[in-house]
């Protein structure tokens, strides 16, 4: 039976035309179940009815014509109940409706089951038989299993059919949905960009001429490096912030100390240049795709982009240039950062990527460039979207294909309003973040790719609330040295010399493994990660802390933050190690300076050893022990805050992970991602409790996470009493504008009401109403 199920689903998925697939499927089900009739009805939510699409047993003339209302008949009842319905004598059932056009009078037994995809009923699959009998449990199990397996295939097939129909008829607006990757609106023609080379198509082969293969690779590396430098220069005229750092990462990966060395090693073992590239790139893609954290998982796309460009140059392909109109929307299976950089000066108005998320580098670049972006669009036929007119709404993640004049006029008006709002926001970007009645909250930056934050500082950020230190560890084949880390951290600290820079210690583990430090666990999400791994390996932790302390000399704006804390013991041990590193480094500095002074004194004879030691101690006294804080992301710490407050200088909520752990939801799992919501009443209650306890213990509290970058979230955090909120650079001026246009008293009233609501849906509805009433609706939708 399992083989039959797989065959039916496979045949359905492989059929190009939806109607043919449906007809073939009902015929196969009828034969497999040895019944007299099999039919499929598809839901039409606009007309609020089920339409008979295909049947083997009912009248051919009724197919595509016969409709049953959502609340009518046995088919409607299956849809309403969202569960199977097994009836021995259907015509005697109280909900049975006689439809003479389908010619089903001779059928009595009825078994219907809903086809549900992502909680939405797509249709009803039904079988009927002349004999009056209940279908067996095996029959019911087979039909339910088949419906579940068909759901995803049917959802994709409906989209494909929709686009086919549009191409044939060339009329009617079609709407697709994706993830809102970057806010904004674009109206233009779609240009589809297909990859020029495919690593998956490379067959693994060896070659006798290793030196020749190595030369091919080195030439490809040099050409690729030049391409990235050109793209970076093009972008630097428009932006100068952390999002540009992807090109630095690309160039670092090409170095002999990183991916370049691994590929060269493969070549030296006899592999052809393209085969060696495939082996190494696909290994790293697998490493990154296995990571739980969506921010780091999206780096797999960057590695794939790098590999594709190298492959094009290894194969010495001539670059095929797209024929571009003066303005266009770019669409690709995976829009990469280099694609955005390549086309952004050529009339690019927005991007659509069939894969990726709002953590993709293309989305990050799009936000910095002010380009709307939609990621993860559920469409299967790129070619049919080429040169189609479209509207993308980066606020809602909606994509409109072939919009009519009315929709175009509506979005043109919204576009003019959006520009007016952006101009107003930028006018106050440098003003303090203070409410209308004088309550202040600091807006900080989330960063972590490189030290290129100058542009973001100009946008009004008062420091860095979260600097991720993982990237220098991940893009290499061994742990970075203390000197290397010191140089990186020093550059970061120098960008905000008068403001705090909070550096999170290494946060890797089973879900964010390093290529040279593999970790295999059954449940990495709850395993060896964050502070747990660095405390188990103090040699790694101490080197990083020493590098931070060295980098902080003379600046004294460093704050150290410990991730994944679940108990007091971890904090005590981490502080002990930080103190150890601090006093060791202080002693080393005193000794080194003394030696330098005595060496100089031997020349002119002015200093005694005691005088040299006193001067050295005075210099080393400038090495300041930084503030130490912890991330509140594991729920257990909510109940230990009094003890923790006695040990640390500040708290910082990692709202993304805290939400996942509180709701037991992996937001990267498409099956449950819709349950992930930082506005869930339980999450908001937890955040409010954290803020109240922090105030009670006089411990500063901040939050770094997506919640802070949303206008409604920022208002709630302000009212709860958070001192600082940290976010991506492009959101800094927007959130400052929101805070400056509300009174603290108003925010508290909104919070009080919000905390009484019992569902996330109620919370979103209420907060959206309040933003509209405050004149801030333009930050959550198109228009002002």
């Amino acid at each position: 039976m399992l083989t039959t199920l797989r065959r039916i689903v496979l045949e359905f998925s492989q059929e190009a035309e939806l109607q043919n697939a449906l007809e073939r499927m009902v015929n196969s089900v009828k034969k497999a179940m040895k019944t007299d009739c099999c039919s499929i009805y598809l839901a039409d939510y606009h007309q609020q009815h089920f339409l008979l699409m295909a049947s083997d047993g009912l009248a051919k003339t009724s197919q595509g014509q016969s409709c049953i209302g959502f609340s009518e008949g046995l088919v409607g009842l299956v849809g309403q109940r969202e569960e199977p319905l097994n009836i021995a004598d259907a015509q005697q059932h109280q909900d049975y409706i006689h439809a003479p056009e389908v010619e089903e009078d001779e059928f009595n037994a009825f078994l219907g089951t809903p086809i549900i995809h992502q909680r939405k009923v797509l249709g009803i699959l039904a079988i009927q038989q002349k004999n009056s009998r209940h279908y067996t449990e095996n029959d019911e199990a087979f039909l339910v299993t088949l419906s579940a397996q068909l759901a995803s295939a049917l959802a994709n097939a409906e989209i494909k059919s929709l686009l086919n129909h549009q191409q044939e008829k060339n009329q009617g607006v079609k709407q697709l949905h994706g993830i809102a990757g970057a806010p904004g609106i674009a109206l233009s023609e779609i240009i589809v960009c297909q990859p020029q080379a495919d690593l998956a198509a490379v067959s693994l082969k060896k070659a006798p001429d290793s030196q020749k293969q190595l030369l091919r690779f080195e030439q490809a590396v040099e050409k690729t490096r030049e391409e990235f430098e050109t793209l970076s220069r093009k972008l630097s005229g428009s932006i100068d912030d952390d999002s540009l750092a992807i090109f630095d990462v690309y160039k670092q990966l090409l170095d002999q100390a990183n991916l370049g060395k691994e590929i060269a090693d493969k070549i030296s073992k006899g592999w052809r240049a393209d085969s060696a590239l495939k082996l190494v790139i696909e290994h790293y893609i697998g490493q990154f795709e296995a990571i739980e954290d969506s921010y780091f998982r999206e780096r797999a796309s960057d590695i794939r982009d790098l590999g594709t460009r190298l492959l094009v140059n290894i194969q010495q392909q001539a670059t095929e240039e797209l024929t571009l109109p003066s303005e266009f929307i770019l669409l690709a299976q995976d829009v990469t950062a280099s694609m955005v950089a390549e086309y952004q000066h050529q009339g690019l108005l927005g991007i659509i990527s069939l894969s990726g998320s709002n953590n993709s580098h293309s989305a990050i670049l799009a936000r910095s460039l002010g380009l709307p972006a939609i990621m993860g669009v559920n469409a299967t036929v790129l070619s049919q979207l080429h040169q189609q007119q479209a509207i993308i709404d980066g606020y809602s993640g909606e994509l409109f294909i072939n919009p009519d004049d009315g929709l175009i006029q509506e979005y043109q008006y919204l576009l003019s309003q959006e520009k007016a709002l952006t101009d107003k926001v930028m006018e106050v970007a440098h003003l303090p973040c203070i409410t209308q009645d004088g309550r202040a909250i600091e807006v900080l930056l989330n960063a972590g790719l490189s030290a290129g934050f100058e542009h973001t500082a100009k946008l009004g950020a008062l420091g860095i609330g979260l600097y991720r230190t993982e990237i220098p560890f991940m893009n290499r084949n061994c742990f970075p040295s203390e000197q290397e880390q010191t140089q990186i951290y020093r550059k970061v600290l120098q960008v905000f010399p008068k403001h705090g820079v909070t550096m999170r210690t290494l946060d890797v583990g089973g879900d964010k493994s390093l290529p040279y430090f593999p970790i295999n666990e059954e449940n990495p999400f709850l395993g060896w990660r964050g502070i747990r791994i660095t405390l188990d390996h103090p040699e790694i932790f101490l080197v990083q802390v020493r590098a931070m302390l060295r980098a902080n000399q003379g600046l004294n704006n460093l704050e150290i933050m410990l991730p994944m804390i679940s108990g007091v013991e971890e904090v005590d041990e981490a502080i002990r190690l930080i103190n150890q590193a601090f006093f060791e480094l202080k002693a080393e500095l005193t000794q080194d300076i003394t030696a330098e002074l005595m060496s100089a004194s031997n020349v002119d004879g002015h200093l005694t050893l005691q005088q040299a030691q006193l001067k050295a101690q005075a210099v080393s006294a400038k090495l300041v022990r930084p503030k130490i804080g912890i991330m509140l992301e594991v729920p257990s710490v909510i109940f230990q805050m009094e003890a923790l407050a006695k040990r640390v200088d500040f708290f910082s909520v990692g709202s993304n992970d805290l939400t996942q752990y509180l709701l037991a939801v992996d937001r990267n799992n498409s099956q449950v991602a819709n349950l992930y919501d930082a506005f869930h009443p339980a999450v908001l209650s937890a955040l409010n409790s954290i803020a109240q306890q922090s105030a009670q213990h006089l411990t500063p509290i901040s939050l770094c996470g997506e919640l802070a970058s949303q206008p409604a979230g920022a208002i709630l955090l302000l009212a709860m009493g958070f001192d600082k909120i940290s976010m991506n650079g492009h959101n800094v001026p927007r959130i400052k504008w929101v805070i400056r246009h509300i009174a603290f008293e108003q925010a508290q009233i909104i919070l009080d009401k919000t905390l009484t609501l019992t569902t996330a849906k109620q919370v979103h509805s209420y907060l959206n109403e309040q933003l509209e009433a405050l004149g801030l609706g333009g930050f959550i939708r198109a228009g002002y």
Side-chain angles (χ1 to χ4, degrees):
M1 194 63 77
L2 183 59
T3 302
T4 304
L5 275 170
R6 288 174 176 170
R7 176 179 57 79
I8 294 173
V9 174
L10 182 62
E11 289 175 351
F12 182 89
S13 302
Q14 291 178 337
E15 182 60 58
E17 296 293 332
L18 176 60
Q19 187 60 39
N20 292 342
L22 294 173
E23 291 174 0
R24 185 174 182 178
M25 186 266 294
V26 295
N27 180 262
S28 298
V29 174
K30 177 182 173 180
K31 289 180 180 178
M33 300 193 70
K34 297 178 182 178
T35 189
D36 296 326
C37 177
C38 177
S39 309
I40 185 166
Y41 300 79
L42 295 188
D44 184 334
Y45 282 87
H46 181 67
Q47 298 292 336
Q48 289 289 295
H49 66 216
F50 292 104
L51 177 64
L52 175 61
M53 291 296 295
S55 177
D56 187 342
L58 299 182
K60 292 289 184 183
T61 55
S62 66
Q63 295 173 33
Q65 302 296 322
S66 182
C67 302
I68 300 176
F70 279 171
S71 59
E72 298 175 347
L74 297 180
V75 170
L77 185 60
V78 174
Q80 281 186 314
R81 291 172 54 169
E82 298 186 353
E83 63 180 350
L85 187 62
N86 190 348
I87 303 172
D89 192 345
Q91 296 187 33
Q92 300 304 314
H93 194 279
Q94 61 184 10
D95 288 297
Y96 176 80
I97 292 179
H98 180 248
E101 72 275 10
V102 301
E103 300 176 6
E104 62 177 348
D105 293 349
E106 61 180 340
F107 300 124
N108 290 293
F110 173 91
L111 173 60
T113 184
I115 303 172
I116 302 175
H117 179 67
Q118 295 182 348
R119 301 193 179 188
K120 182 178 181 180
V121 176
L122 301 182
I124 307 296
L125 181 61
I127 56 174
Q128 294 170 271
Q129 196 161 1
K130 295 176 183 178
N131 295 336
S132 296
R133 71 176 182 92
H134 283 104
Y135 282 93
T136 67
E137 288 186 3
N138 286 340
D139 291 334
E140 189 170 324
F142 179 88
L143 205 64
V144 168
T145 306
L146 177 61
S147 297
Q149 292 189 14
L150 280 174
S152 179
L154 180 59
N156 288 329
E158 283 191 308
I159 291 171
K160 185 174 180 180
S161 176
L162 173 153
L163 293 170
N164 280 332
H165 179 73
Q166 176 197 317
Q167 193 174 46
E168 293 168 4
K169 301 284 186 178
N170 195 28
Q171 61 183 13
V173 180
K174 305 304 176 185
Q175 186 175 358
L176 300 176
H177 295 272
I179 300 166
I185 301 166
L187 300 81
S188 193
E189 175 184 349
I190 289 177
I191 296 297
V192 174
C193 180
Q194 302 280 15
Q196 291 180 253
D198 185 6
L199 275 170
V202 174
S203 55
L204 297 178
K205 295 180 180 178
K206 291 198 172 185
D209 53 343
S210 294
Q211 286 303 314
K212 184 178 178 181
Q213 294 297 318
L214 187 59
L215 179 61
R216 283 180 64 197
F217 172 65
E218 290 173 347
Q219 289 173 341
V221 166
E222 191 56 38
K223 187 174 181 182
T224 305
R225 192 193 308 278
E226 290 172 1
E227 289 172 355
F228 285 137
E229 287 175 354
T230 300
L231 292 174
S232 184
R233 282 196 303 271
K234 284 182 179 179
L235 273 177
S236 62
S238 303
I239 56 176
D240 182 25
D241 66 2
D242 192 39
S243 56
L244 268 181
I246 179 56
F247 298 104
D248 294 331
V249 173
Y250 280 156
K251 287 182 280 186
Q252 290 169 10
L253 288 170
L254 290 170
D255 290 342
Q256 286 299 310
N258 296 293
L259 288 183
K261 182 178 185 301
E262 293 189 42
I263 296 168
D265 288 344
K266 296 283 186 188
I267 293 172
S268 66
K269 293 177 181 177
W271 290 104
R272 277 178 32 164
D274 54 355
S275 298
L277 176 70
K278 175 186 175 79
L279 287 168
V280 174
I281 293 295
E282 289 187 346
H283 168 73
Y284 275 90
I285 288 173
Q287 290 273 340
F288 278 95
E289 285 182 340
I291 292 173
E292 174 202 9
D293 189 303
S294 61
Y295 177 85
F296 292 103
R297 191 156 75 174
E298 283 297 340
R299 304 294 71 83
S301 174
D302 302 331
I303 300 293
R304 186 179 290 107
D305 181 32
L306 174 64
T308 300
R309 284 187 170 265
L310 276 169
L311 182 60
V312 169
N313 291 327
I314 285 174
Q315 296 175 343
Q316 297 181 331
Q317 296 182 21
T319 303
E320 297 178 15
E321 292 192 5
L322 284 172
T323 302
L324 301 174
S326 58
E327 295 182 332
F328 64 96
I329 295 168
L330 181 68
L331 183 147
Q333 178 66 41
D334 183 11
V335 175
T336 63
S338 60
M339 286 183 189
V340 177
E342 186 172 348
Y343 294 115
Q344 58 101 18
H345 281 303
Q346 302 182 52
L348 180 62
L349 297 182
I351 66 172
I352 306 165
S353 184
L354 303 195
S355 60
S357 71
N358 55 7
N359 282 316
S360 301
H361 256 116
S362 53
I364 294 171
L365 268 183
R367 291 193 289 265
S368 295
L369 290 164
L371 296 171
I374 303 178
M375 318 300 290
V377 176
N378 190 7
T380 57
V381 276
L382 273 72
S383 59
Q384 293 180 8
L385 291 172
H386 187 56
Q387 296 183 329
Q388 294 271 9
Q389 291 295 317
I391 297 173
I392 62 176
D393 187 334
Y395 294 95
S396 63
E398 292 176 303
L399 168 62
F400 299 95
I401 308 295
N402 192 30
D404 56 30
D405 291 341
L407 194 60
I408 290 173
Q409 289 178 6
E410 177 185 346
Y411 269 91
Q412 284 175 335
Y413 174 68
L414 294 174
L415 194 58
S416 65
Q417 287 189 312
E418 182 188 55
K419 185 180 183 306
L421 178 59
T422 300
D423 292 342
K424 287 186 177 182
V425 165
M426 294 311 298
E427 288 175 3
V428 302
H430 303 294
L431 298 178
C433 189
I434 301 175
T435 63
Q436 293 173 337
D437 49 0
R439 180 74 172 227
I441 185 171
E442 289 187 32
V443 179
L444 308 175
L445 171 69
N446 287 344
L449 292 175
S450 79
F453 311 119
E454 293 83 354
H455 179 70
T456 308
K458 295 174 185 175
L459 290 177
L462 288 180
I464 297 177
L466 168 64
Y467 177 77
R468 308 176 185 91
T469 61
E470 290 77 41
I471 290 294
F473 284 81
M474 299 182 83
N475 294 325
R476 53 189 302 116
N477 55 16
C478 63
F479 285 106
S481 68
E482 182 176 329
Q483 184 178 2
E484 288 174 307
Q485 292 186 62
T486 300
Q487 291 173 351
I488 293 170
Y489 303 151
R490 182 74 177 180
K491 290 178 182 177
V492 177
L493 293 168
Q494 286 174 333
V495 176
F496 291 96
K498 296 181 181 179
H499 299 284
V501 174
T502 302
M503 292 189 171
R504 183 178 68 189
T505 59
L506 186 62
D507 188 12
V508 296
D511 66 322
K512 277 185 282 189
S513 61
L514 303 174
Y516 48 87
F517 192 66
I519 301 167
N520 296 310
E521 296 181 291
E522 290 185 6
N523 191 348
F525 308 150
L526 301 177
W528 200 41
R529 55 176 298 193
I531 197 68
R532 299 169 183 174
I533 188 171
T534 48
L535 289 183
D536 284 350
H537 281 274
E539 74 280 11
I540 299 172
F541 186 71
L542 285 168
V543 168
Q544 183 177 39
V545 170
R546 284 167 59 94
M548 290 179 178
L549 294 173
R550 283 187 186 275
N552 192 42
Q553 281 182 269
L555 293 171
N556 301 332
N557 58 339
L558 168 69
E559 297 179 356
I560 295 177
M561 184 160 65
L562 308 172
M564 197 66 184
I565 293 294
S566 59
V568 172
E569 298 89 345
E570 293 166 336
V571 177
D572 288 341
E573 179 62 12
I575 290 176
R576 184 189 70 78
L577 289 172
I578 292 172
N579 288 336
Q580 176 184 325
F582 174 75
F583 289 114
E584 284 177 357
L585 187 59
K586 197 165 188 175
E588 287 177 22
L589 286 172
T590 301
Q591 186 176 351
D592 291 345
I593 296 169
T594 300
E596 289 178 13
L597 290 173
M598 288 305 298
S599 177
S601 180
N602 289 336
V603 177
D604 52 31
H606 290 310
L607 286 176
T608 65
L609 175 60
Q610 185 177 10
Q611 290 172 325
Q613 289 174 334
L614 289 173
K615 283 198 171 188
Q617 289 170 3
V619 174
S620 66
K622 294 181 180 179
L623 183 71
V624 177
R625 181 185 180 278
K627 292 181 179 179
I628 300 171
I630 62 170
M631 292 200 75
L632 307 181
E633 48 194 343
V634 179
S636 60
V637 296
I638 300 174
F639 307 99
Q640 296 182 292
M641 290 186 63
E642 180 178 1
L644 292 168
K646 295 175 181 178
R647 291 164 165 80
V648 300
D649 301 301
F650 65 91
F651 294 134
S652 182
V653 176
S655 63
N656 296 347
D657 273 342
L658 180 62
T659 301
Q660 290 195 121
Y661 287 128
L662 279 172
L663 302 181
V665 171
D666 175 10
R667 61 179 176 155
N668 297 314
N669 182 335
S670 60
Q671 298 298 318
V672 296
N674 61 306
L675 300 177
Y676 175 91
D677 195 332
F679 289 92
H680 190 287
V683 177
L684 296 179
S685 293
L687 292 174
N688 192 49
S689 172
I690 288 170
Q692 289 179 346
Q693 291 186 69
S694 298
Q696 180 182 347
H697 302 304
L698 303 177
T699 307
I701 180 73
S702 65
L703 182 142
C704 50
E706 292 178 11
L707 182 65
S709 64
Q710 299 183 52
I715 289 173
L716 294 179
L717 296 171
L718 167 74
M720 290 176 186
F722 279 79
D723 304 296
K724 304 174 183 179
I725 50 179
S726 185
M727 64 202 66
N728 292 330
H730 73 281
N731 282 316
V732 170
R734 296 171 69 248
I735 295 303
K736 290 182 74 172
W737 170 277
V738 169
I739 298 298
R740 288 180 59 83
H741 286 78
I742 190 173
F744 182 66
E745 186 177 348
Q746 289 176 300
Q748 288 182 306
I749 293 172
I750 292 172
L751 173 64
D752 290 343
K753 173 64 178 178
T754 300
L755 292 175
T756 67
L757 303 176
T758 55
T759 69
K761 185 176 181 180
Q762 290 175 347
V763 171
H764 283 290
S765 178
Y766 171 70
L767 292 176
N768 287 344
E769 288 176 5
Q770 295 305 304
L771 288 171
E772 293 288 355
L774 290 165
L776 299 171
F779 291 101
I780 57 172
R781 53 157 173 79
Y784 175 40

